């Protein structure tokens, strides 16, 4: 019985370790959010979400989706190697009013469910 428990514990710990192998995406923005603050509509509206692949395999960003046409994201075209950084650029159209948008990143990252990560931008565009 004691050997069975030890074997089971070893198998469980090993499987947890293996589940964490692979690419991992970690964003530098607090809470995966960029705050534009209060900006004027004359600004270009471009911000970068910087991330690092903290895993042990190449990170592939397969898609980046916006909740509306007023926010245009661009993604890296090449895999991000372990230990390297990349960026997802977001361009907001700077229409006057509050900014509250979500961008969904789809990848092969193992540290998010299904490799999907929600990024957010917030702030307010004023007329001048």
């Amino acid at each position: 019985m004691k050997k069975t428990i030890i074997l089971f514990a070893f198998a469980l710990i090993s499987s947890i370790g293996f589940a964490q192998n692979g690419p991992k995406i970690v964003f530098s923005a607090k809470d995966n959010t960029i705050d534009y603050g209060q900006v004027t509509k004359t600004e270009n509206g471009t911000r970068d979400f910087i991330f690092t692949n903290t895993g042990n395999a190449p990170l592939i960003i397969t898609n980046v989706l916006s909740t509306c046409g007023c926010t245009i994201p661009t993604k890296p075209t090449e895999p991000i190697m372990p230990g390297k950084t990349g960026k997802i650029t977001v361009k907001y159209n700077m229409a006057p009013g509050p900014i509250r948008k979500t961008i969904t990143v789809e990848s092969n990252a193992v540290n998010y469910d299904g490799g999907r990560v929600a990024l957010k931008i917030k702030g307010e565009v004023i007329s001048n």
Side-chain angles (χ1 to χ4, degrees), residues 16-28 50-61 80-86 105 107-113 115-117:
I16 290 170
F18 288 123
Q20 294 302 313
N21 284 330
K24 297 178 184 174
I25 190 167
V26 176
F27 286 90
S28 61
I50 306 297
F51 63 87
T52 303
N53 177 1
T54 61
N56 59 6
L59 173 69
I60 300 168
I61 307 293
I80 308 301
M81 301 312 287
K84 300 296 182 184
T85 61
V105 177
S107 72
N108 64 336
V110 298
N111 59 325
Y112 284 94
D113 189 28
R116 295 174 61 100
V117 184

Side-chain angles (χ1 to χ4, degrees), residues 52-97:
T52 303
N53 177 1
T54 61
N56 59 6
L59 173 69
I60 300 168
I61 307 293
T62 54
N63 205 0
V64 182
L65 307 165
S66 174
T67 54
C68 74
C70 62
T71 308
I72 302 170
T74 56
K75 67 178 186 69
T77 56
E78 299 295 321
I80 308 301
M81 301 312 287
K84 300 296 182 184
T85 61
K87 70 179 178 177
I88 294 171
T89 301
V90 176
K91 181 165 176 58
Y92 183 69
N93 73 359
M94 303 307 279

